[in-house]
Amino acid sequence: MLLLSRKAIVTPLIICTCILGVGLIQFPQLQKLISSKKSASIETLEKEIKAENLRLNFLQKMPTFGYDNLIADLVYLDFSQYFGDDEVRDKTGYSLSPEYFEVILERDPRFLAAYQSLSVSTSLYAAMPERAIAISEKGLKSLSPWVPERSYYVWRYKGVDELLFLGNAKAAQHSFAIAANWASKFSDPESQMIANTSQRTAEFLNRNPNSKYAQISTWGMVLSNQVDEKTSKRAIRAIEALGGKVIRTPEGTNKIIFPPKD
């Protein structure tokens, strides 16, 4: 009995240590890439990215012995460093973004915050909206209106990608309509606001698939998501190109002025 008890304790510790080793020690290419970014050549950076891609492929396939959420959290931290390194990303682009989220959302499809990062990094920066939508659709199979709370946001992010980056108004209308339906099941002010804005966007698209109002409203959603400065500027440029204006209020929020005609 004592031997079995020790084994029951030691085995999970060994497994956990192995997983941590993979996440933090094995293939530390990303850390090297970050520390050497000022002097590294494009060729060196590309080799580092290929090595990081191999590590992500391995993490996607390896058994986790029940530590899926731990793997998702560790890989999300890696992604944050990758995405936030503007100097290197300006040289190499954002092509690894969807690879990170293949791992993260495969391991933890209820990782709500990851879906927003998926949309911004993969659709907006990596120019791969199809990948972002496909990953979201797979994750949505594990979600419901109540689990996790505010999972209606995932449908909104998907609708944003479909409308702004694929120009698929019909698919976007469907996504915003479901977001409105899921959000309407909650009585808190945030959920009710999301239900109303999502429903209005769906109605705009139903009346006019090429609606500038719907596109401006959707870029406004991007702008309101506490995004980084680069994303904020991109959203403002897009709104202005559609005939709208963005005004900074004394309270520090953005107010969108829509054009006179849709």
Side-chain angles (χ1 to χ4, degrees):
M1 289 294 292
L2 181 60
L3 180 60
L4 289 174
S5 177
R6 287 178 177 174
K7 184 177 181 181
I9 294 172
V10 172
T11 301
L13 289 175
I14 293 173
I15 293 169
C16 187
T17 300
C18 290
I19 293 173
L20 284 170
V22 169
L24 300 176
I25 299 174
Q26 188 174 353
F27 289 106
Q29 281 80 7
L30 185 61
Q31 296 300 321
K32 290 180 182 178
L33 183 148
I34 291 169
S35 63
S36 62
K37 63 184 179 182
K38 291 184 178 180
S39 58
S41 66
I42 293 294
E43 292 76 12
T44 299
L45 293 175
E46 288 178 349
K47 287 180 181 178
E48 298 288 356
I49 287 175
K50 287 180 180 179
E52 177 68 359
N53 193 23
L54 288 173
R55 184 181 78 96
L56 291 170
N57 289 335
F58 175 71
L59 287 172
Q60 186 177 1
K61 298 172 183 177
M62 66 171 279
T64 60
F65 304 101
Y67 291 95
D68 293 275
N69 289 358
L70 175 61
I71 291 291
D73 290 343
L74 290 172
V75 176
Y76 190 74
L77 290 175
D78 287 343
F79 162 76
S80 298
Q81 291 181 311
Y82 168 85
F83 185 74
D85 195 345
D86 293 337
E87 188 171 344
V88 173
R89 298 287 72 75
D90 287 343
K91 296 178 181 179
T92 66
Y94 296 83
S95 61
L96 278 187
S97 293
E99 309 308 326
Y100 281 104
F101 290 100
E102 289 282 5
V103 179
I104 294 166
L105 293 172
E106 177 70 26
R107 299 303 185 187
D108 185 5
R110 294 176 178 176
F111 192 164
L112 192 58
Y115 287 94
Q116 180 186 345
S117 298
L118 165 68
S119 177
V120 171
S121 67
T122 302
S123 295
L124 187 60
Y125 286 108
M128 300 180 191
E130 295 91 348
R131 286 286 302 276
I133 291 167
I135 294 170
S136 293
E137 287 176 342
K138 187 175 181 180
L140 278 165
K141 295 176 182 178
S142 299
L143 308 185
S144 75
W146 300 275
V147 181
E149 289 187 6
R150 294 179 171 79
S151 56
Y152 47 76
Y153 275 111
V154 181
W155 283 105
R156 276 169 64 90
Y157 301 145
K158 181 171 173 284
V160 167
D161 292 341
E162 289 164 337
L163 180 61
L164 299 184
F165 305 115
L166 290 186
N168 190 338
K170 184 176 181 180
Q173 179 199 354
H174 176 73
S175 294
F176 284 119
I178 295 180
N181 177 267
W182 284 24
S184 68
K185 300 180 185 300
F186 300 89
S187 59
D188 62 281
E190 178 183 352
S191 298
Q192 288 299 303
M193 180 193 71
I194 296 300
N196 291 333
T197 57
S198 298
Q199 186 60 41
R200 285 202 302 271
T201 302
E203 290 170 356
F204 281 145
L205 291 171
N206 185 47
R207 292 195 301 268
N208 177 12
N210 299 315
S211 170
K212 290 184 179 180
Y213 281 18
Q215 294 178 60
I216 291 172
S217 178
T218 305
W219 277 114
M221 295 176 198
V222 174
L223 193 59
S224 67
N225 280 335
Q226 298 181 342
V227 291
D228 59 276
E229 185 178 357
K230 191 191 309 186
T231 307
S232 177
K233 289 180 178 179
R234 169 76 180 274
I236 291 172
R237 287 198 304 271
I239 289 170
E240 291 174 345
L242 289 163
K245 293 183 180 179
V246 179
I247 298 174
R248 195 72 172 173
T249 68
E251 294 77 22
T253 60
N254 292 308
K255 180 181 179 181
I256 297 176
I257 306 298
F258 286 81
K261 295 182 179 180
D262 192 357

